[in-house]
Amino acid sequence: MKSAPRIRPAQPLTLERLSDAAQEASIAETLKGWNARHDLWLFGYGSLMWNLGCEYSQRIPARVFGYHRSFCLWSRINRGTPEAPGLVLALERGGSCAGFAFRISRECVGDFMLPLWRREMQYGSYHPRWLACHTKKGVRKALGFAINPHSNGYCGHLDEEDRVECIVQGRGIYGTSADYLFNTVQSLEELGIRDHGLQRLAECVRARLGQP
């Protein structure tokens, strides 16, 4: 396997974390859209599908319309470094996205939200959104994370070849961008869903890594 060139954003990526107070304020604002008398639903389309980080009482296949799954977010800690950033998924406008809807007991929501925000919302790369998740059991209003296109982590301009190289080079504290991609494809296969774009990307990454 030839060595991958280092692909970086045109502008340096900042690593300024939101303070705990700012994250707690964001949580409070987001939870205004939740009826605390009921359990909370969460939509997972990437790593949350296989690593939710909390107990859940139900997991069902779901589809969201108006957003699609995209490797459009630089990862400079979890799946990469500032010198060689990887890529992770976010929801971008347009199309539709299949994933899982998780039912979180309302008694667990208070303890779950801050760890979730520290995982997903530290750098302001996402916007929390209440999404209409279509399931075989009806529509569920679920919390999901869409890309913040104004954050400096957004990289929606990359072409497919550069995305492949970024996924190949990305290695961070949670592992590689490549494994993140492969785990996402595997989780979708559990749903019986073939995401042709992701599968093509996975094939290109495997070829670049010299894997069968």
Side-chain angles (χ1 to χ4, degrees), residues 35-48:
N35 185 341
R37 292 176 294 177
H38 301 291
D39 294 340
L40 183 145
W41 288 88
L42 179 69
F43 180 63
Y45 57 87
S47 62
L48 290 175

Side-chain angles (χ1 to χ4, degrees), residues 43-144:
F43 180 63
Y45 57 87
S47 62
L48 290 175
M49 289 195 296
W50 70 84
N51 182 23
L52 187 63
C54 80
E55 296 293 328
Y56 56 88
S57 59
Q58 196 174 3
R59 184 187 75 165
I60 55 178
R63 181 175 290 275
V64 167
F65 293 91
Y67 291 94
H68 66 280
R69 182 187 291 104
S70 173
F71 273 92
C72 63
L73 181 61
W74 294 110
S75 180
R76 57 274 208 201
I77 293 180
N78 294 344
R79 301 283 176 171
T81 65
E83 296 74 26
L87 295 180
V88 292
L89 289 165
L91 291 177
E92 277 198 287
R93 287 283 186 180
S96 67
C97 180
F100 288 121
F102 295 89
R103 186 173 187 169
I104 313 297
S105 170
R106 61 191 180 94
E107 290 83 8
C108 298
V109 170
D111 292 333
F112 174 56
M113 296 303 284
L114 187 55
L116 178 65
W117 248 243
R118 286 173 174 166
R119 171 177 170 176
E120 304 292 337
M121 294 287 292
Q122 282 200 73
Y123 305 107
S125 299
Y126 293 106
H127 287 312
R129 293 285 184 260
W130 290 103
L131 307 170
C133 289
H134 295 256
T135 78
K136 290 183 178 180
K137 298 183 179 181
V139 178
R140 300 288 186 267
K141 181 181 177 181
L143 176 63

